[in-house]
Amino acid sequence: MAAVTAPAPHRATAPGRMRTVVVAAAVITLLAAVGLAVTSRDEKRPGPLFVALPTVPPVTVEPSEPSPAASPEDRPAPPATSRVRDVVPPPRTPAGSPVRSTSAAPAVALPVVGQELGLEPVGERGRRVRHRNFVARIDPVGPGSRELDRADSRFTARAGRGDAACLSFESFNYPGYFLRSRESALRLERADGSRGYDADATFCAVPAGNGGFVLRSRSAPDRYVTESDEVLSLNRVTPAAAQAFVTRPPL
């Protein structure tokens, strides 16, 4: 019977190769252990916290286009300014020429019915309408004049005898006597109640531009009271050429 012999050792089981396999297995085992430790530690660490912010809707910005230049008509007007050089200088008056006032004409005070008054020519202080020897005239009469002269210059305005819209002038010291026109002359005469007398004793006061008023005859509407050589009469003149009067308190 043949004897059984033990098999010869394989080359793979050589001592050097075996050592390499053992080292590799040890390295793999070590790496696996490290990986498990790291994984276990990461599971226990809380993760970072994140706060959700509100979502902002996107805004679309359109490219701006240059606006067309505004026309002169569309541009706002600048505020008005006042400059010294914009003031219109007053007109120059040639040397020797009278200076004309641009102020408004003064108010005219017309006689009032029932008023006792004196009639003074415009611009002639110290002179009054009066009757002397029953003739109407203009004389110097003032506070220092004789009582008779001062009484002759007092009149009372009455409603027009021939037209209530106009006036009649009654003498103060001769009641019932009125100024009237006779043949163009102004005289003081007693009322007789006739229609002719009433018309001749009525005068319409017309405001004048110099602050006074003129007297137009009611019986002859184209005639006005004028003065010549201190005597009053009726004449066919323009209102500007008539004698203007102002009312004054009686003396």
Side-chain angles (χ1 to χ4, degrees):
M1 183 174 182
V4 179
T5 60
H10 198 273
R11 294 179 180 178
T13 60
R17 187 168 186 147
M18 182 60 67
R19 187 180 300 112
T20 302
V21 172
V22 173
V23 172
V27 170
I28 291 173
T29 302
L30 180 61
L31 292 176
V34 173
L36 290 174
V38 172
T39 303
S40 176
R41 187 175 57 183
D42 291 341
E43 290 178 355
K44 294 180 181 179
R45 181 184 301 172
L49 298 177
F50 297 95
V51 179
L53 298 177
T55 304
V56 180
V59 178
T60 303
V61 179
E62 298 181 358
S64 59
E65 297 180 359
S67 58
S71 61
E73 292 79 4
D74 298 334
R75 295 175 184 171
T81 57
S82 177
R83 296 177 295 180
V84 175
R85 64 185 180 188
D86 292 336
V87 179
V88 179
R92 296 182 178 179
T93 304
S97 300
V99 178
R100 296 182 179 180
S101 174
T102 57
S103 59
V108 177
L110 299 178
V112 178
V113 173
Q115 177 185 14
E116 187 176 333
L117 50 79
L119 294 176
E120 179 182 282
V122 171
E124 299 183 36
R125 282 279 187 176
R127 304 184 71 208
R128 295 288 179 98
V129 174
R130 62 166 298 179
H131 60 84
R132 190 172 70 184
N133 297 329
F134 299 99
V135 175
R137 52 185 294 120
I138 297 176
D139 282 340
V141 181
S145 300
R146 297 184 307 164
E147 173 61 28
L148 178 61
D149 293 334
R150 289 187 281 116
D152 288 347
S153 69
R154 300 176 191 171
F155 296 91
T156 303
R158 304 294 187 189
R161 299 179 62 88
D163 185 349
C166 298
L167 299 166
S168 293
F169 296 95
E170 183 180 11
S171 171
F172 170 78
N173 55 353
Y174 284 84
Y177 285 69
F178 293 82
L179 293 178
R180 67 162 294 184
S181 61
R182 177 186 289 274
E183 298 178 355
S184 296
L186 255 66
R187 297 180 55 85
L188 185 69
E189 292 188 3
R190 186 171 184 172
D192 59 10
S194 66
R195 181 177 297 180
Y197 178 96
D198 290 344
D200 290 343
T202 303
F203 304 89
C204 299
V206 180
N210 54 7
F213 58 89
V214 296
L215 296 175
R216 177 171 55 85
S217 171
R218 181 63 180 81
S219 60
D222 60 339
R223 295 176 182 267
Y224 292 83
V225 175
T226 61
E227 183 266 339
S228 177
D229 295 331
E230 301 179 344
V231 176
L232 298 179
S233 61
L234 286 181
N235 288 281
R236 188 179 288 111
V237 297
T238 63
Q243 176 62 59
F245 302 97
V246 293
T247 59
R248 297 296 184 197
L251 295 172

